[in-house]
Amino acid sequence: MTRPAKDTTMKTMRRDFLKASGATALAAALPGCATTGSGSAGRVVVVGGGYGGATAAKYLRLWSNGSVDVTLVEPNAQFISCPISNLVLGGSKTIADVTVSYDNLVKRHGVKLVKDTAVAVDPDKRTVTLASGQVLGYDRLILSPGIDFMYEQLKVLESADAQARVLHSWKAGPQTVALRRQLEAMPDGGVYAITIPVAPYRCPPGPYERACQVAWYFKQKKPKSKVLILDGNPDVTSKAGLFKKAWAEEYKGIVEYRPNHVLTDVDVRTLTAKFETADDVKADVLNVLPPQRAGAIARAAGVITANNRWCEVDFLTFESIKVKNVHVLGDAIQIAPAMPKSGHMANQHAKVCAAAVLELLAGRAASPTPVLTNTCYSFITDKEVVHVASVHQYDAEKKTMVAVQGAGGLSPAMSALEGTYAFAWAQNIWADALA
Amino acid sequence: MLRTIPRLTATLAAAALCGAIAAPAAAQSPPAELGRNLAATCANCHGTGGVSVGGTVSLAGTPKADLVAKMQDFKAGRRTGTIMPQLAKGYTDPQIEALSAWFAAQKAPQ
C-alpha cells in the first residue's frame, strides 16, 4: 500500500474503513476508539527510551486511546535514570534503585519496543534504518537521542581502554557502577577530581551534586580524602550559592572548587588532567565529563543545526526547523535561555510534542500555547536536598519559550523535607514515563 | 483506493460511533485538550493524570474550586510550600482554571 500524503493519513484511512468495513470494524479502527494499535491513526517511531522518548511513546498511546501505532527503538534492556544516580556513587543507593523496566510501556500501553539502535533516517521516504538492518516507516519520527561525547576534543579518551580508566559516568549504567568501584578502591587520603565542560552540557547542577555525594561518602568512610571540582566555567553554573555553602560548611576541608579549568588533555596512565590556563592536576580517581553534543542519530538525520552540536526545534511541536516530520526532544535540542538540559524538561518536551504530533496527524494545528516546567532536586547529603524550579511559556512574538519572570526559584537552604519530595519526584516521573 | 464518502460525513460518523464507546481524544476540541496538556505539566510530580504513585498529593478528582483556590493561594503567597509557590506563579489565571477543571473531571484514585 502506498503511504498517503503528509497529514492526510487518518482521513484517508477513515474513508477507506467507511468504504470497506461494517460498523464494528469501523469503531475498532477509528482514532479515539481503537484499543489496539493497528496504525489506523498514524505511525510514529520514537528513537531513544530515556526521559523524553519513553514519555513521548507512552503519551502518544495514552492520548490517542491506543489508535496511533508507536514503535520505540532503544538499545538498552532497561531504563536507568541519571537523576538519583549520583547517590549510587555516594553509596546510599544502588544501580537497581534507579533502574526501571520497559515492560509496562509494552504490556499496559501497547508500545512496540525494538531493542536496537537507529543508524540512519531517510526523511523523503520517511524511514528509519536500525543497526540490524530493519527499516521502519513513519508518519512522524521523534528523536530523543540524548548526548554523545565530543572525543575529537579529547582524543586521548577515544579508546575503550582510556574510557574504562577515566570514566564519565554521565550516562547512568555500567559507568556509574564502575566509578563507584573506583571510589571504593581508592585509599583514604586520595583525591577524586571531576572536570566539568563549558556549558551547555547535560544536567547543569549534576556535577556539583556528584561532588557532594562523593564528599558525603568520603566524610563517612574516608575522611582524609579530597574532592576537587575542576570547572571549565567561570563559576558554578547552577544553584551556586547553595552548593558553595554546602562545600564551605557540610564538606569543609573535603571539597575544593576551582573555576576556569578548561580541560585540554589527559594523561591516562598517571591520571593527570591538563588545562588551558591552569596547572596540571593529578588525581587518584579522575572523572572527566567531556564536552557534549546531540546523540549520533541526530547527526545522521540532519537535524543538528546549532554550532554543529544541538538541534533547533519549533517549540510548538518540537519539530526540527530543518527536517520535516522529524521531532527532537530532551538534552539534544538547542535550548532557549534559562531552559536546562534535564530529565524533567525532556519529559515536558515529550508531552508538548506528543500532543502536537496527534494534532498534526489529525490534520490540525498544534496548540499555540505550550507550557514547560522544570523541577530539579540536588542531593547535598544522602537525605538533604536543594531545588531549582522554573516555568516557561511560549512567546508567540519571539517564537521561543520564555522563562516567566517572578516564577521559579531556589530552595532557601537544604532540607530533609525536600529530600522526601525529591524521592517522590523520582518515583512519579519514572511512573509518568514508564508505568 | 475509493474515496467516495465526503470527509465531513466520515468525521461525523466517526464522532457518533466514538461517542458511544469512549471519549474520543482525537475528536476533542482544542479547549478540552488545553486543560489536558496543561495538567500534564504537573504529572512529573503528581502522577500521570494526577494519580500520584506516592509522596505527593493526587490531583485527580479534586473539586475544581479547591484546586483553583490552592493554586491562587500559592501564587499570591498566602500558602507556603517549597516548589509550588514558585511554580504556581508561572501559570496564568485562565491556565489555572483549565488545568483545575481537567483534574476535577478525572476519576479520583481509590
Side-chain angles (χ1 to χ4, degrees), chain A residues 33 63 348 359 387 393 432, chain B residues 18 25-26 33 44 48 86 95:
Chain A
C33 294
W63 283 347
Q348 299 262 317
E359 295 299 324
H387 83 254
Q393 298 263 5
D432 193 39
Chain B
C18 280
E33 285 163 4
N44 310 52
T48 304
Q86 297 174 351
Q95 286 173 341

Side-chain angles (χ1 to χ4, degrees), chain A residues 90-296:
Chain A
S92 63
K93 293 285 174 192
T94 66
I95 199 77
D97 293 330
V98 298
T99 302
V100 184
S101 168
Y102 286 114
D103 286 356
N104 281 332
L105 283 184
V106 176
K107 290 179 190 161
R108 200 174 284 170
H109 299 288
V111 172
K112 294 171 183 166
L113 182 64
V114 178
K115 192 172 178 295
D116 206 336
T117 302
V119 292
V121 174
D122 184 331
D124 295 324
K125 289 184 184 158
R126 284 197 253 165
T127 58
V128 54
T129 303
L130 311 184
S132 65
Q134 188 181 354
V135 177
L136 302 170
Y138 64 80
D139 297 312
R140 293 272 164 183
L141 175 64
I142 299 176
L143 301 179
S144 192
I147 50 150
D148 270 0
F149 299 114
M150 299 167 71
Y151 284 122
E152 71 272 17
Q153 292 186 10
L154 284 168
K155 285 196 173 294
V156 70
L157 294 182
E158 278 181 328
S159 75
D161 284 351
Q163 288 173 30
R165 183 162 161 79
V166 178
L167 301 164
H168 55 76
S169 309
W170 215 236
K171 297 180 181 186
Q175 283 253 335
T176 313
V177 175
L179 182 54
R180 173 65 190 172
R181 288 208 186 105
Q182 287 188 355
L183 292 166
E184 286 173 345
M186 190 191 87
D188 191 10
V191 172
Y192 160 81
I194 180 170
T195 73
I196 304 171
V198 174
Y201 56 86
R202 161 178 281 179
C203 188
Y208 312 111
E209 180 196 58
R210 177 170 292 183
C212 289
Q213 287 304 304
V214 174
W216 181 80
Y217 168 59
F218 288 171
K219 194 173 172 179
Q220 320 293 316
K221 306 281 184 181
K222 296 174 180 176
K224 286 180 275 181
S225 306
K226 300 277 181 247
V227 173
L228 260 184
I229 305 168
L230 305 165
D231 197 339
N233 299 285
D235 198 357
V236 174
T237 61
S238 178
K239 304 172 184 162
L242 292 162
F243 281 122
K244 286 178 180 173
K245 185 175 161 67
W247 301 332
E249 296 174 6
E250 187 73 23
Y251 300 119
K252 188 172 166 42
I254 298 177
V255 174
E256 183 184 338
Y257 177 76
R258 297 183 189 170
N260 299 311
H261 276 60
V262 179
L263 187 71
T264 54
D265 198 7
V266 175
D267 185 325
V268 175
R269 191 181 60 80
T270 61
L271 297 178
T272 303
K274 302 177 181 189
F275 304 92
E276 259 177 24
T277 54
D279 292 341
D280 294 358
V281 173
K282 190 179 173 311
D284 297 284
V285 174
L286 181 58
N287 182 193
V288 169
L289 313 185
Q292 297 149 28
R293 68 157 77 88

